[in-house]
Amino acid sequence: MTDKNRGHHVMTDKDKKSRRNSLIGAAFLMATSAVGPGFLTQTAYFTEALLASFGFVILASIILDIGAQLNVWRIITVSKMRGQEIANAVLPGLGFVVAIFIVIGGIAFNIGNIGGSGLGINAMLGIDPRIGAVITAGIAIFVFLSKEAGAAMDQIVKWLGALLIILIAYVMFVSQPPVGEAIYRSFVPLELDVYAIITIVGGTVGGYITFSGGHRLLDAGISGKESIPEVNRTSVMGILIASAIRILLFLAVLGVVSAGVSLDPDNPAATVFQYAAGEFGYRMFGLVLWVAAITSVIGAAYTSVSFLRTFHEKIDQYYRYWIIGFILLSTLIFVFIGQAVTLLVFAGAVNGLILPLTLGSILLAAHNTKIVGDYKHPVWLTVFGIIIVVLTTFLGIRTLIQTLPQLF
């Protein structure tokens, strides 16, 4: 379609529907990529530590998450470039560094996600976690075998995301949390844990997560200044879905912990389901863990490969097979080696640096006419972005210093 004809292109109902599906799909892809096995453990751990005051941490992190994600998605949309291209445009070579970090992180976390899916199937049905992992990989690969991989991915993450919300909401109702106290402490916390806030922000939009939805929109052809209002809504929707899941889980854990139950440190989230709903609850936890894991496998593989697609036309042309290869690699490592502990430690260390690097380059790009043309980036978003870059840089460096000795 040439630019001359572009103005006359009228969207049919089918176009509108597929566009709407892509927008909702991008929000759910980002949210379910955030909600993985680590998200469940992290939420349970912090709730046990901070009790009702963790509500404040969630509230503060939602505001920061929205600030970070609006910055990233708007600039991807306006520039019509992926994260690594924006980084390279700001500082030649930076995009390669970011892509390498993301791919290493993606493989490490995907081994964890594949492992989590195996444990989920094990809790649900009692079969060997490695067999469960292979079954999950098979399902995820099946999604990318279809010619319409994007549309298939949109649907699967949407329905599985809805299932997660229903399952966790059920456990929350059964565990009878002190909701009044939780709401009160969300505004008047007993303690202020900045470390927890930055950790939760990293767990929601850090690493590859925010780019999963941003790159999905580009692949669906949703870009340019005229798409900004839709992208804004979708961006906030993604954060709200992930945060709704976190709030439901927080309340479920709070109900159980308030009843005087101490969580199993090895598997804190499982204790919550088991206490609330007995044997059935434990099987249900298996399903929740599996759904959280498989959606993160899909999100991590899709996004990691999207960071490589601009470096060689062959990768771009055969990207679906690269995604399948990515899932296969993660699965083989898990089945034959188990959790690659050193790799996970290293990925955790560099992952904290990805958000400040990518968001930092996004903010520089936002005011660079070569990248965004005549688009004017809102001042409040820039200020928000700078605050998040400063906070996450501080935490990222701190994490790096703490974790590097473990590697040697």
Side-chain angles (χ1 to χ4, degrees), residues 45-81:
Y45 166 79
F46 277 121
T47 304
E48 189 176 31
L50 300 172
L51 300 174
S53 299
F54 184 51
F56 177 79
V57 170
I58 296 177
L59 200 61
S61 68
I62 290 174
I63 296 166
L64 292 173
D65 291 338
I66 289 175
Q69 182 141 298
L70 276 175
N71 270 305
V72 174
W73 287 23
R74 284 174 69 119
I75 301 305
I76 287 177
T77 304
V78 174
S79 68
K80 303 182 181 176
M81 291 154 87

PDB file of all heavy atoms in Angstrom, residues 45-81:
ATOM      1  N   TYR A  45       6.196 -14.653  49.058  1.00  0.00           N
ATOM      2  CA  TYR A  45       7.310 -14.341  49.967  1.00  0.00           C
ATOM      3  C   TYR A  45       7.148 -12.942  50.573  1.00  0.00           C
ATOM      4  O   TYR A  45       7.247 -12.763  51.790  1.00  0.00           O
ATOM      5  CB  TYR A  45       8.633 -14.454  49.194  1.00  0.00           C
ATOM      6  CG  TYR A  45       9.817 -13.827  49.914  1.00  0.00           C
ATOM      7  CD1 TYR A  45      10.453 -14.508  50.959  1.00  0.00           C
ATOM      8  CD2 TYR A  45      10.280 -12.558  49.563  1.00  0.00           C
ATOM      9  CE1 TYR A  45      11.528 -13.929  51.627  1.00  0.00           C
ATOM     10  CE2 TYR A  45      11.347 -11.974  50.230  1.00  0.00           C
ATOM     11  CZ  TYR A  45      11.967 -12.663  51.263  1.00  0.00           C
ATOM     12  OH  TYR A  45      13.019 -12.093  51.939  1.00  0.00           O
ATOM     13  N   PHE A  46       6.899 -11.951  49.728  1.00  0.00           N
ATOM     14  CA  PHE A  46       6.768 -10.576  50.231  1.00  0.00           C
ATOM     15  C   PHE A  46       5.517 -10.387  51.090  1.00  0.00           C
ATOM     16  O   PHE A  46       5.527  -9.606  52.036  1.00  0.00           O
ATOM     17  CB  PHE A  46       6.768  -9.561  49.080  1.00  0.00           C
ATOM     18  CG  PHE A  46       8.151  -9.202  48.601  1.00  0.00           C
ATOM     19  CD1 PHE A  46       8.528  -9.421  47.280  1.00  0.00           C
ATOM     20  CD2 PHE A  46       9.081  -8.643  49.467  1.00  0.00           C
ATOM     21  CE1 PHE A  46       9.808  -9.082  46.842  1.00  0.00           C
ATOM     22  CE2 PHE A  46      10.365  -8.306  49.038  1.00  0.00           C
ATOM     23  CZ  PHE A  46      10.727  -8.529  47.716  1.00  0.00           C
ATOM     24  N   THR A  47       4.434 -11.091  50.750  1.00  0.00           N
ATOM     25  CA  THR A  47       3.214 -10.965  51.555  1.00  0.00           C
ATOM     26  C   THR A  47       3.461 -11.506  52.956  1.00  0.00           C
ATOM     27  O   THR A  47       3.048 -10.908  53.954  1.00  0.00           O
ATOM     28  CB  THR A  47       2.038 -11.726  50.900  1.00  0.00           C
ATOM     29  OG1 THR A  47       1.868 -11.247  49.565  1.00  0.00           O
ATOM     30  CG2 THR A  47       0.747 -11.503  51.673  1.00  0.00           C
ATOM     31  N   GLU A  48       4.174 -12.633  53.040  1.00  0.00           N
ATOM     32  CA  GLU A  48       4.468 -13.199  54.359  1.00  0.00           C
ATOM     33  C   GLU A  48       5.363 -12.252  55.165  1.00  0.00           C
ATOM     34  O   GLU A  48       5.201 -12.100  56.369  1.00  0.00           O
ATOM     35  CB  GLU A  48       5.137 -14.575  54.214  1.00  0.00           C
ATOM     36  CG  GLU A  48       5.252 -15.301  55.552  1.00  0.00           C
ATOM     37  CD  GLU A  48       5.814 -16.710  55.422  1.00  0.00           C
ATOM     38  OE1 GLU A  48       6.638 -16.955  54.512  1.00  0.00           O
ATOM     39  OE2 GLU A  48       5.439 -17.564  56.242  1.00  0.00           O
ATOM     40  N   ALA A  49       6.294 -11.596  54.461  1.00  0.00           N
ATOM     41  CA  ALA A  49       7.232 -10.704  55.151  1.00  0.00           C
ATOM     42  C   ALA A  49       6.587  -9.382  55.575  1.00  0.00           C
ATOM     43  O   ALA A  49       6.798  -8.906  56.691  1.00  0.00           O
ATOM     44  CB  ALA A  49       8.441 -10.427  54.255  1.00  0.00           C
ATOM     45  N   LEU A  50       5.786  -8.774  54.683  1.00  0.00           N
ATOM     46  CA  LEU A  50       5.268  -7.424  54.946  1.00  0.00           C
ATOM     47  C   LEU A  50       3.803  -7.406  55.380  1.00  0.00           C
ATOM     48  O   LEU A  50       3.281  -6.359  55.768  1.00  0.00           O
ATOM     49  CB  LEU A  50       5.417  -6.549  53.688  1.00  0.00           C
ATOM     50  CG  LEU A  50       6.840  -6.333  53.154  1.00  0.00           C
ATOM     51  CD1 LEU A  50       6.795  -5.615  51.817  1.00  0.00           C
ATOM     52  CD2 LEU A  50       7.681  -5.546  54.144  1.00  0.00           C
ATOM     53  N   LEU A  51       3.135  -8.567  55.267  1.00  0.00           N
ATOM     54  CA  LEU A  51       1.703  -8.675  55.607  1.00  0.00           C
ATOM     55  C   LEU A  51       0.882  -7.636  54.825  1.00  0.00           C
ATOM     56  O   LEU A  51       1.137  -7.405  53.653  1.00  0.00           O
ATOM     57  CB  LEU A  51       1.498  -8.578  57.121  1.00  0.00           C
ATOM     58  CG  LEU A  51       2.225  -9.683  57.905  1.00  0.00           C
ATOM     59  CD1 LEU A  51       2.113  -9.476  59.407  1.00  0.00           C
ATOM     60  CD2 LEU A  51       1.682 -11.055  57.515  1.00  0.00           C
ATOM     61  N   ALA A  52      -0.094  -7.002  55.483  1.00  0.00           N
ATOM     62  CA  ALA A  52      -1.007  -6.106  54.756  1.00  0.00           C
ATOM     63  C   ALA A  52      -0.271  -4.939  54.088  1.00  0.00           C
ATOM     64  O   ALA A  52      -0.726  -4.408  53.078  1.00  0.00           O
ATOM     65  CB  ALA A  52      -2.097  -5.594  55.698  1.00  0.00           C
ATOM     66  N   SER A  53       0.878  -4.549  54.637  1.00  0.00           N
ATOM     67  CA  SER A  53       1.629  -3.417  54.066  1.00  0.00           C
ATOM     68  C   SER A  53       2.165  -3.702  52.659  1.00  0.00           C
ATOM     69  O   SER A  53       2.571  -2.790  51.945  1.00  0.00           O
ATOM     70  CB  SER A  53       2.795  -3.017  54.984  1.00  0.00           C
ATOM     71  OG  SER A  53       2.304  -2.617  56.241  1.00  0.00           O
ATOM     72  N   PHE A  54       2.171  -4.982  52.272  1.00  0.00           N
ATOM     73  CA  PHE A  54       2.595  -5.307  50.906  1.00  0.00           C
ATOM     74  C   PHE A  54       1.636  -4.671  49.895  1.00  0.00           C
ATOM     75  O   PHE A  54       2.005  -4.418  48.749  1.00  0.00           O
ATOM     76  CB  PHE A  54       2.684  -6.830  50.706  1.00  0.00           C
ATOM     77  CG  PHE A  54       3.202  -7.241  49.344  1.00  0.00           C
ATOM     78  CD1 PHE A  54       4.387  -6.711  48.837  1.00  0.00           C
ATOM     79  CD2 PHE A  54       2.508  -8.158  48.559  1.00  0.00           C
ATOM     80  CE1 PHE A  54       4.869  -7.077  47.583  1.00  0.00           C
ATOM     81  CE2 PHE A  54       2.986  -8.528  47.297  1.00  0.00           C
ATOM     82  CZ  PHE A  54       4.164  -7.994  46.813  1.00  0.00           C
ATOM     83  N   GLY A  55       0.410  -4.376  50.330  1.00  0.00           N
ATOM     84  CA  GLY A  55      -0.559  -3.682  49.479  1.00  0.00           C
ATOM     85  C   GLY A  55      -0.008  -2.353  48.996  1.00  0.00           C
ATOM     86  O   GLY A  55      -0.200  -1.964  47.831  1.00  0.00           O
ATOM     87  N   PHE A  56       0.711  -1.665  49.874  1.00  0.00           N
ATOM     88  CA  PHE A  56       1.309  -0.379  49.507  1.00  0.00           C
ATOM     89  C   PHE A  56       2.380  -0.575  48.427  1.00  0.00           C
ATOM     90  O   PHE A  56       2.475   0.197  47.469  1.00  0.00           O
ATOM     91  CB  PHE A  56       1.930   0.298  50.734  1.00  0.00           C
ATOM     92  CG  PHE A  56       2.634   1.595  50.413  1.00  0.00           C
ATOM     93  CD1 PHE A  56       1.912   2.760  50.220  1.00  0.00           C
ATOM     94  CD2 PHE A  56       4.018   1.637  50.278  1.00  0.00           C
ATOM     95  CE1 PHE A  56       2.552   3.959  49.895  1.00  0.00           C
ATOM     96  CE2 PHE A  56       4.674   2.825  49.956  1.00  0.00           C
ATOM     97  CZ  PHE A  56       3.931   3.994  49.776  1.00  0.00           C
ATOM     98  N   VAL A  57       3.172  -1.641  48.603  1.00  0.00           N
ATOM     99  CA  VAL A  57       4.220  -1.962  47.621  1.00  0.00           C
ATOM    100  C   VAL A  57       3.586  -2.197  46.247  1.00  0.00           C
ATOM    101  O   VAL A  57       4.063  -1.699  45.221  1.00  0.00           O
ATOM    102  CB  VAL A  57       5.026  -3.207  48.069  1.00  0.00           C
ATOM    103  CG1 VAL A  57       5.942  -3.697  46.957  1.00  0.00           C
ATOM    104  CG2 VAL A  57       5.831  -2.887  49.325  1.00  0.00           C
ATOM    105  N   ILE A  58       2.477  -2.952  46.230  1.00  0.00           N
ATOM    106  CA  ILE A  58       1.803  -3.243  44.957  1.00  0.00           C
ATOM    107  C   ILE A  58       1.280  -1.946  44.332  1.00  0.00           C
ATOM    108  O   ILE A  58       1.472  -1.696  43.136  1.00  0.00           O
ATOM    109  CB  ILE A  58       0.646  -4.248  45.150  1.00  0.00           C
ATOM    110  CG1 ILE A  58       1.184  -5.597  45.629  1.00  0.00           C
ATOM    111  CG2 ILE A  58      -0.135  -4.421  43.846  1.00  0.00           C
ATOM    112  CD1 ILE A  58       0.114  -6.638  45.921  1.00  0.00           C
ATOM    113  N   LEU A  59       0.669  -1.107  45.158  1.00  0.00           N
ATOM    114  CA  LEU A  59       0.111   0.150  44.667  1.00  0.00           C
ATOM    115  C   LEU A  59       1.204   1.044  44.073  1.00  0.00           C
ATOM    116  O   LEU A  59       1.068   1.572  42.960  1.00  0.00           O
ATOM    117  CB  LEU A  59      -0.591   0.877  45.821  1.00  0.00           C
ATOM    118  CG  LEU A  59      -1.619   1.927  45.454  1.00  0.00           C
ATOM    119  CD1 LEU A  59      -2.758   1.306  44.653  1.00  0.00           C
ATOM    120  CD2 LEU A  59      -2.183   2.590  46.710  1.00  0.00           C
ATOM    121  N   ALA A  60       2.304   1.198  44.815  1.00  0.00           N
ATOM    122  CA  ALA A  60       3.419   2.027  44.333  1.00  0.00           C
ATOM    123  C   ALA A  60       3.988   1.449  43.047  1.00  0.00           C
ATOM    124  O   ALA A  60       4.311   2.183  42.094  1.00  0.00           O
ATOM    125  CB  ALA A  60       4.502   2.115  45.407  1.00  0.00           C
ATOM    126  N   SER A  61       4.107   0.106  42.998  1.00  0.00           N
ATOM    127  CA  SER A  61       4.706  -0.505  41.807  1.00  0.00           C
ATOM    128  C   SER A  61       3.788  -0.371  40.590  1.00  0.00           C
ATOM    129  O   SER A  61       4.266  -0.233  39.470  1.00  0.00           O
ATOM    130  CB  SER A  61       5.066  -1.972  42.059  1.00  0.00           C
ATOM    131  OG  SER A  61       3.903  -2.750  42.217  1.00  0.00           O
ATOM    132  N   ILE A  62       2.464  -0.374  40.801  1.00  0.00           N
ATOM    133  CA  ILE A  62       1.535  -0.213  39.662  1.00  0.00           C
ATOM    134  C   ILE A  62       1.786   1.139  38.987  1.00  0.00           C
ATOM    135  O   ILE A  62       1.866   1.241  37.757  1.00  0.00           O
ATOM    136  CB  ILE A  62       0.050  -0.314  40.113  1.00  0.00           C
ATOM    137  CG1 ILE A  62      -0.278  -1.757  40.507  1.00  0.00           C
ATOM    138  CG2 ILE A  62      -0.891   0.152  39.000  1.00  0.00           C
ATOM    139  CD1 ILE A  62      -1.672  -1.948  41.103  1.00  0.00           C
ATOM    140  N   ILE A  63       1.953   2.189  39.812  1.00  0.00           N
ATOM    141  CA  ILE A  63       2.169   3.531  39.269  1.00  0.00           C
ATOM    142  C   ILE A  63       3.490   3.573  38.479  1.00  0.00           C
ATOM    143  O   ILE A  63       3.544   4.080  37.353  1.00  0.00           O
ATOM    144  CB  ILE A  63       2.163   4.570  40.415  1.00  0.00           C
ATOM    145  CG1 ILE A  63       0.767   4.601  41.064  1.00  0.00           C
ATOM    146  CG2 ILE A  63       2.540   5.961  39.900  1.00  0.00           C
ATOM    147  CD1 ILE A  63       0.713   5.314  42.397  1.00  0.00           C
ATOM    148  N   LEU A  64       4.536   2.974  39.050  1.00  0.00           N
ATOM    149  CA  LEU A  64       5.833   2.963  38.362  1.00  0.00           C
ATOM    150  C   LEU A  64       5.778   2.093  37.108  1.00  0.00           C
ATOM    151  O   LEU A  64       6.355   2.447  36.067  1.00  0.00           O
ATOM    152  CB  LEU A  64       6.932   2.468  39.309  1.00  0.00           C
ATOM    153  CG  LEU A  64       7.269   3.405  40.477  1.00  0.00           C
ATOM    154  CD1 LEU A  64       8.244   2.737  41.444  1.00  0.00           C
ATOM    155  CD2 LEU A  64       7.862   4.719  39.978  1.00  0.00           C
ATOM    156  N   ASP A  65       5.083   0.950  37.199  1.00  0.00           N
ATOM    157  CA  ASP A  65       4.953   0.054  36.032  1.00  0.00           C
ATOM    158  C   ASP A  65       4.296   0.765  34.866  1.00  0.00           C
ATOM    159  O   ASP A  65       4.737   0.662  33.718  1.00  0.00           O
ATOM    160  CB  ASP A  65       4.058  -1.162  36.374  1.00  0.00           C
ATOM    161  CG  ASP A  65       4.714  -2.106  37.365  1.00  0.00           C
ATOM    162  OD1 ASP A  65       5.948  -2.084  37.471  1.00  0.00           O
ATOM    163  OD2 ASP A  65       3.977  -2.862  38.035  1.00  0.00           O
ATOM    164  N   ILE A  66       3.207   1.484  35.165  1.00  0.00           N
ATOM    165  CA  ILE A  66       2.479   2.190  34.106  1.00  0.00           C
ATOM    166  C   ILE A  66       3.390   3.251  33.489  1.00  0.00           C
ATOM    167  O   ILE A  66       3.479   3.390  32.270  1.00  0.00           O
ATOM    168  CB  ILE A  66       1.166   2.808  34.647  1.00  0.00           C
ATOM    169  CG1 ILE A  66       0.162   1.678  34.952  1.00  0.00           C
ATOM    170  CG2 ILE A  66       0.572   3.803  33.647  1.00  0.00           C
ATOM    171  CD1 ILE A  66      -1.135   2.138  35.607  1.00  0.00           C
ATOM    172  N   GLY A  67       4.130   3.972  34.342  1.00  0.00           N
ATOM    173  CA  GLY A  67       5.067   4.981  33.843  1.00  0.00           C
ATOM    174  C   GLY A  67       6.115   4.380  32.924  1.00  0.00           C
ATOM    175  O   GLY A  67       6.404   4.918  31.845  1.00  0.00           O
ATOM    176  N   ALA A  68       6.678   3.225  33.327  1.00  0.00           N
ATOM    177  CA  ALA A  68       7.721   2.589  32.510  1.00  0.00           C
ATOM    178  C   ALA A  68       7.142   2.083  31.193  1.00  0.00           C
ATOM    179  O   ALA A  68       7.673   2.339  30.111  1.00  0.00           O
ATOM    180  CB  ALA A  68       8.355   1.423  33.282  1.00  0.00           C
ATOM    181  N   GLN A  69       6.011   1.377  31.289  1.00  0.00           N
ATOM    182  CA  GLN A  69       5.472   0.721  30.097  1.00  0.00           C
ATOM    183  C   GLN A  69       4.905   1.717  29.078  1.00  0.00           C
ATOM    184  O   GLN A  69       5.053   1.518  27.875  1.00  0.00           O
ATOM    185  CB  GLN A  69       4.417  -0.298  30.511  1.00  0.00           C
ATOM    186  CG  GLN A  69       3.849  -1.066  29.340  1.00  0.00           C
ATOM    187  CD  GLN A  69       3.610  -2.517  29.660  1.00  0.00           C
ATOM    188  OE1 GLN A  69       4.545  -3.247  29.961  1.00  0.00           O
ATOM    189  NE2 GLN A  69       2.371  -2.946  29.626  1.00  0.00           N
ATOM    190  N   LEU A  70       4.273   2.800  29.563  1.00  0.00           N
ATOM    191  CA  LEU A  70       3.769   3.821  28.624  1.00  0.00           C
ATOM    192  C   LEU A  70       4.924   4.427  27.831  1.00  0.00           C
ATOM    193  O   LEU A  70       4.809   4.650  26.624  1.00  0.00           O
ATOM    194  CB  LEU A  70       3.017   4.925  29.372  1.00  0.00           C
ATOM    195  CG  LEU A  70       1.549   4.668  29.704  1.00  0.00           C
ATOM    196  CD1 LEU A  70       1.000   5.800  30.558  1.00  0.00           C
ATOM    197  CD2 LEU A  70       0.702   4.510  28.443  1.00  0.00           C
ATOM    198  N   ASN A  71       6.036   4.692  28.513  1.00  0.00           N
ATOM    199  CA  ASN A  71       7.213   5.224  27.821  1.00  0.00           C
ATOM    200  C   ASN A  71       7.668   4.273  26.716  1.00  0.00           C
ATOM    201  O   ASN A  71       7.854   4.668  25.568  1.00  0.00           O
ATOM    202  CB  ASN A  71       8.367   5.418  28.812  1.00  0.00           C
ATOM    203  CG  ASN A  71       8.374   6.802  29.441  1.00  0.00           C
ATOM    204  OD1 ASN A  71       8.381   7.803  28.754  1.00  0.00           O
ATOM    205  ND2 ASN A  71       8.355   6.849  30.765  1.00  0.00           N
ATOM    206  N   VAL A  72       7.844   3.007  27.083  1.00  0.00           N
ATOM    207  CA  VAL A  72       8.389   2.026  26.144  1.00  0.00           C
ATOM    208  C   VAL A  72       7.443   1.804  24.957  1.00  0.00           C
ATOM    209  O   VAL A  72       7.847   1.894  23.794  1.00  0.00           O
ATOM    210  CB  VAL A  72       8.673   0.682  26.859  1.00  0.00           C
ATOM    211  CG1 VAL A  72       9.109  -0.386  25.852  1.00  0.00           C
ATOM    212  CG2 VAL A  72       9.762   0.864  27.930  1.00  0.00           C
ATOM    213  N   TRP A  73       6.176   1.539  25.247  1.00  0.00           N
ATOM    214  CA  TRP A  73       5.244   1.207  24.157  1.00  0.00           C
ATOM    215  C   TRP A  73       4.992   2.385  23.235  1.00  0.00           C
ATOM    216  O   TRP A  73       4.877   2.215  22.027  1.00  0.00           O
ATOM    217  CB  TRP A  73       3.917   0.673  24.734  1.00  0.00           C
ATOM    218  CG  TRP A  73       4.044  -0.708  25.290  1.00  0.00           C
ATOM    219  CD1 TRP A  73       5.188  -1.308  25.730  1.00  0.00           C
ATOM    220  CD2 TRP A  73       2.996  -1.678  25.464  1.00  0.00           C
ATOM    221  NE1 TRP A  73       4.928  -2.575  26.176  1.00  0.00           N
ATOM    222  CE2 TRP A  73       3.592  -2.835  26.034  1.00  0.00           C
ATOM    223  CE3 TRP A  73       1.625  -1.679  25.225  1.00  0.00           C
ATOM    224  CZ2 TRP A  73       2.850  -3.972  26.342  1.00  0.00           C
ATOM    225  CZ3 TRP A  73       0.895  -2.809  25.537  1.00  0.00           C
ATOM    226  CH2 TRP A  73       1.498  -3.954  26.080  1.00  0.00           C
ATOM    227  N   ARG A  74       4.884   3.602  23.796  1.00  0.00           N
ATOM    228  CA  ARG A  74       4.619   4.770  22.945  1.00  0.00           C
ATOM    229  C   ARG A  74       5.770   5.016  21.971  1.00  0.00           C
ATOM    230  O   ARG A  74       5.549   5.305  20.794  1.00  0.00           O
ATOM    231  CB  ARG A  74       4.398   6.019  23.803  1.00  0.00           C
ATOM    232  CG  ARG A  74       3.039   6.068  24.475  1.00  0.00           C
ATOM    233  CD  ARG A  74       2.950   7.247  25.418  1.00  0.00           C
ATOM    234  NE  ARG A  74       2.933   8.505  24.716  1.00  0.00           N
ATOM    235  CZ  ARG A  74       1.927   9.377  24.767  1.00  0.00           C
ATOM    236  NH1 ARG A  74       0.871   9.119  25.512  1.00  0.00           N
ATOM    237  NH2 ARG A  74       1.971  10.510  24.102  1.00  0.00           N
ATOM    238  N   ILE A  75       7.003   4.896  22.453  1.00  0.00           N
ATOM    239  CA  ILE A  75       8.148   5.176  21.574  1.00  0.00           C
ATOM    240  C   ILE A  75       8.329   4.067  20.538  1.00  0.00           C
ATOM    241  O   ILE A  75       8.676   4.331  19.384  1.00  0.00           O
ATOM    242  CB  ILE A  75       9.439   5.431  22.398  1.00  0.00           C
ATOM    243  CG1 ILE A  75       9.234   6.613  23.352  1.00  0.00           C
ATOM    244  CG2 ILE A  75      10.623   5.709  21.478  1.00  0.00           C
ATOM    245  CD1 ILE A  75       8.779   7.913  22.686  1.00  0.00           C
ATOM    246  N   ILE A  76       8.065   2.812  20.923  1.00  0.00           N
ATOM    247  CA  ILE A  76       8.095   1.724  19.928  1.00  0.00           C
ATOM    248  C   ILE A  76       7.048   2.007  18.838  1.00  0.00           C
ATOM    249  O   ILE A  76       7.314   1.864  17.645  1.00  0.00           O
ATOM    250  CB  ILE A  76       7.811   0.356  20.607  1.00  0.00           C
ATOM    251  CG1 ILE A  76       9.024  -0.092  21.433  1.00  0.00           C
ATOM    252  CG2 ILE A  76       7.459  -0.709  19.567  1.00  0.00           C
ATOM    253  CD1 ILE A  76       8.819  -1.383  22.190  1.00  0.00           C
ATOM    254  N   THR A  77       5.861   2.441  19.263  1.00  0.00           N
ATOM    255  CA  THR A  77       4.761   2.703  18.328  1.00  0.00           C
ATOM    256  C   THR A  77       5.095   3.846  17.373  1.00  0.00           C
ATOM    257  O   THR A  77       4.910   3.738  16.159  1.00  0.00           O
ATOM    258  CB  THR A  77       3.478   3.058  19.115  1.00  0.00           C
ATOM    259  OG1 THR A  77       3.198   1.993  20.018  1.00  0.00           O
ATOM    260  CG2 THR A  77       2.294   3.236  18.190  1.00  0.00           C
ATOM    261  N   VAL A  78       5.584   4.962  17.937  1.00  0.00           N
ATOM    262  CA  VAL A  78       5.854   6.146  17.121  1.00  0.00           C
ATOM    263  C   VAL A  78       7.033   5.912  16.176  1.00  0.00           C
ATOM    264  O   VAL A  78       6.995   6.283  15.007  1.00  0.00           O
ATOM    265  CB  VAL A  78       6.146   7.372  18.023  1.00  0.00           C
ATOM    266  CG1 VAL A  78       6.562   8.568  17.191  1.00  0.00           C
ATOM    267  CG2 VAL A  78       4.914   7.717  18.837  1.00  0.00           C
ATOM    268  N   SER A  79       8.091   5.286  16.688  1.00  0.00           N
ATOM    269  CA  SER A  79       9.303   5.117  15.877  1.00  0.00           C
ATOM    270  C   SER A  79       9.177   3.935  14.917  1.00  0.00           C
ATOM    271  O   SER A  79       9.961   3.808  13.982  1.00  0.00           O
ATOM    272  CB  SER A  79      10.513   4.893  16.785  1.00  0.00           C
ATOM    273  OG  SER A  79      10.403   3.639  17.440  1.00  0.00           O
ATOM    274  N   LYS A  80       8.200   3.043  15.183  1.00  0.00           N
ATOM    275  CA  LYS A  80       8.020   1.805  14.397  1.00  0.00           C
ATOM    276  C   LYS A  80       9.283   0.954  14.436  1.00  0.00           C
ATOM    277  O   LYS A  80       9.612   0.242  13.472  1.00  0.00           O
ATOM    278  CB  LYS A  80       7.636   2.126  12.943  1.00  0.00           C
ATOM    279  CG  LYS A  80       6.377   2.982  12.844  1.00  0.00           C
ATOM    280  CD  LYS A  80       5.952   3.267  11.410  1.00  0.00           C
ATOM    281  CE  LYS A  80       4.706   4.144  11.416  1.00  0.00           C
ATOM    282  NZ  LYS A  80       4.258   4.571  10.111  1.00  0.00           N
ATOM    283  N   MET A  81      10.019   1.042  15.541  1.00  0.00           N
ATOM    284  CA  MET A  81      11.244   0.261  15.699  1.00  0.00           C
ATOM    285  C   MET A  81      11.134  -0.607  16.943  1.00  0.00           C
ATOM    286  O   MET A  81      10.460  -0.238  17.909  1.00  0.00           O
ATOM    287  CB  MET A  81      12.454   1.201  15.872  1.00  0.00           C
ATOM    288  CG  MET A  81      12.809   1.993  14.628  1.00  0.00           C
ATOM    289  SD  MET A  81      13.648   3.535  15.064  1.00  0.00           S
ATOM    290  CE  MET A  81      15.319   3.000  15.154  1.00  0.00           C
TER     291      MET A  81
END
